[in-house]
């Protein structure tokens, strides 16, 4: 059993190691922290922490550093989330308020988060699977060429070029768009399929082919994983902190570039009830075991839309990173909800 003082020693080791990147010894703890006990007593506490696999000696006769398990105990039980300063919160508001559209909002969010944390920042585009349809329009571009425009309540816009397979005359294209809008506007994207079948069955025979092709395009646009992607900023921070990754920087950069692993990880973290979720070290996917990720959910239209977060070495400042992620996620939610209204 680790004592209460032992847990406070763990807190000191994590904080000192994150700040200095040097293993932490009992003498350093006594000098820097007010425990009111001798270095020998602290060494006893450290021995219990080592036995519990919360700290480890990276080299013989060195100080100790936290293990993945030690970081997990620190995050879950010991660290307090440090609130951002009023100046930082105002900077977030000003910077994001200047965004022109959803693409600009997402790009600004990751740039800001990377600047606040000095980590790689990630933002998941609002998920199609979690959205409702706000509006559907069909625009005629040529005699047999149409543009399908789908607007979701998160502000996300999906566009599809459609070969109508026939001549579309007069206001038929607009009529197809109105029929689709009536069928699915206001509904969750996951409930749209049945309504689309009814549109095809009730289509004007004169534009039955065009209607069917537009419906297929709309079904693809509303597929749960349609256009899933991440916006990323600050990958250079990984290179600057490569000494913490023991040569695995390339694997981490490949995972960031491919996005599939990180999108799957974001999906798994959706199930976690906490406002800010973490994965640490070996809790991560293959190739990312020397990293940690901190994510927070943001919403739009009254429901969760996606996640924003930071990725970096396990030796990161969890308290300030979690606060920054939470602040950006909350402001992003307010911004997208204002757009919805």
């Amino acid at each position: 059993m680790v004592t209460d003082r032992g847990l406070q020693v763990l807190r000191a080791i994590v904080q000192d190691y994150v700040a200095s990147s040097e293993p932490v010894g009992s003498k350093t703890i006594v000098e820097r922290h007010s425990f009111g006990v001798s270095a020998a007593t602290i060494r006893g506490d450290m021995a219990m922490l080592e036995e519990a696999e919360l700290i480890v000696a990276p080299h013989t006769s060195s100080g100790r550093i936290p293990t993945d398990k030690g970081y997990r105990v620190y995050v879950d039980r010991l660290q307090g989330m440090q609130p951002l300063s009023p100046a930082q919160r105002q900077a977030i508001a000003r910077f994001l308020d200047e965004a022109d559209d959803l693409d600009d909002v997402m790009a600004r969010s990751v740039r800001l988060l990377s600047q606040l944390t000095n980590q790689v920042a990630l933002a998941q585009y609002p998920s199609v699977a979690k959205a409702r349809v706000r509006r559907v329009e069909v625009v005629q571009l040529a005699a047999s060429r149409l543009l399908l425009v789908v607007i979701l309540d998160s502000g996300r816009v999906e566009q599809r070029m459609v070969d109508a397979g026939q001549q579309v005359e007069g206001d038929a294209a607009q009529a197809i768009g109105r029929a689709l809008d009536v069928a699915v506007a206001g509904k969750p994207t996951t409930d749209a399929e049945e309504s689309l079948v009814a549109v095809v069955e009730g289509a004007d025979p004169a534009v039955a082919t065009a209607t069917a092709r537009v419906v297929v395009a709309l079904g693809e646009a509303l597929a749960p994983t349609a256009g899933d992607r991440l916006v990323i900023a600050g990958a250079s921070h990984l290179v600057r902190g490569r000494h913490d990754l023991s040569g695995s920087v390339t694997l981490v950069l490949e995972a960031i570039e491919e996005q599939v692993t990180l999108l799957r990880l974001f999906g798994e973290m959706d199930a976690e009830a906490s406002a800010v979720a973490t994965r640490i070290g070996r809790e991560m996917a293959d190739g990312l075991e020397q990293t940690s990720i901190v994510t927070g959910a943001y919403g739009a239209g009254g429901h969760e839309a996606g996640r924003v977060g930071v990725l970096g070495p396990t030796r990161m400042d969890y308290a300030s990173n979690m606060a920054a992620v939470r602040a950006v996620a909350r402001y992003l939610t307010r911004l997208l909800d204002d757009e919805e209204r």
Side-chain angles (χ1 to χ4, degrees):
M1 284 289 293
V2 177
T3 64
D4 289 343
R5 188 181 62 229
L7 290 175
Q8 297 310 310
V9 170
L10 174 62
R11 184 208 299 268
I13 291 172
V14 170
Q15 292 175 343
D16 287 357
Y17 180 61
V18 166
S20 70
S21 78
E22 297 293 333
V24 181
S26 57
K27 183 179 178 182
T28 300
I29 293 173
V30 169
E31 290 173 349
R32 294 181 180 174
H33 303 272
S34 302
F35 282 98
V37 296
S38 67
T41 301
I42 296 296
R43 283 196 293 274
D45 293 327
M46 293 174 70
M48 286 191 291
L49 292 172
E50 194 162 8
E51 186 175 350
E53 300 180 343
L54 299 178
I55 60 174
V56 66
H59 308 291
T60 304
S61 301
S62 71
R64 301 297 185 266
I65 66 174
T67 62
D68 294 345
K69 184 178 177 181
Y71 282 125
R72 171 52 64 197
V73 170
Y74 172 77
V75 168
D76 290 348
R77 297 177 56 183
L78 299 175
Q79 64 95 28
M81 200 180 301
Q82 299 172 356
L84 298 187
S85 68
Q88 287 175 312
R89 292 195 295 271
Q90 290 170 9
I92 291 173
R94 282 197 305 270
F95 190 65
L96 294 185
D97 279 340
E98 294 173 356
D100 296 324
D101 53 27
L102 181 62
D103 289 341
D104 196 18
V105 168
M106 303 309 289
R108 284 171 175 264
S109 295
V110 291
R111 283 165 51 200
L112 179 63
L113 198 48
S114 181
Q115 291 168 5
L116 287 171
T117 63
N118 293 318
Q119 306 289 352
V120 180
L122 315 163
Q124 179 186 23
Y125 259 78
S127 170
V128 171
K130 299 172 183 176
R132 290 179 177 268
V133 180
R134 184 188 297 174
R135 190 163 75 249
V136 177
E137 297 178 5
V138 176
V139 180
Q140 186 159 3
L141 302 178
S144 62
R145 194 158 185 79
L146 307 175
L147 173 66
L148 169 69
V149 181
V150 186
I151 304 173
L152 305 180
D153 62 355
S154 60
R156 181 168 176 166
V157 178
E158 293 288 326
Q159 299 185 16
R160 298 288 189 279
M161 302 293 292
V162 182
D163 179 355
Q166 66 172 99
Q167 297 289 311
V168 178
E169 299 178 350
D171 62 353
Q174 293 180 355
I176 295 171
R178 285 194 296 271
L180 292 172
D181 189 64
V182 169
V184 300
K187 292 183 178 180
T189 57
T190 50
D191 295 346
E193 184 175 354
E194 185 175 341
S195 300
L196 294 179
V197 171
V199 171
V200 173
E201 293 175 346
D204 181 343
V207 287
T209 299
T211 301
R213 292 194 176 192
V214 174
V215 165
V216 169
L218 180 54
E220 293 172 351
L222 299 182
T225 58
D228 274 359
R229 66 189 190 279
L230 297 170
V231 187
I232 298 165
S236 60
H237 289 302
L238 279 179
V239 178
R240 286 196 286 271
R242 60 186 178 275
H243 58 279
D244 285 317
L245 297 174
S246 302
S248 65
V249 173
T250 300
L251 291 176
V252 178
L253 290 173
E254 287 175 354
I256 291 173
E257 182 178 357
E258 293 171 359
Q259 297 199 3
V260 175
T261 299
L262 293 173
L263 282 168
R264 184 169 62 248
L265 187 60
F266 270 47
E268 292 170 357
M269 296 175 85
D270 279 345
E272 300 185 22
S274 57
V276 177
T278 59
R279 293 290 178 88
I280 299 171
R282 291 182 177 83
E283 300 169 0
M284 298 284 282
D286 290 346
L288 298 175
E289 297 93 339
Q290 293 183 357
T291 67
S292 294
I293 192 168
V294 178
T295 71
Y298 70 88
H303 56 80
E304 184 177 317
R307 303 190 78 84
V308 295
V310 295
L311 172 76
T314 54
R315 188 184 70 85
M316 67 162 59
D317 186 344
Y318 290 93
S320 62
N321 288 351
M322 292 171 74
V325 166
R326 181 177 62 177
V328 171
R330 285 179 172 177
Y331 197 82
L332 188 53
T333 296
R334 288 198 292 271
L335 193 63
L336 294 178
D337 278 344
D338 286 345
E339 289 294 321
E340 168 67 9
R341 287 192 288 271

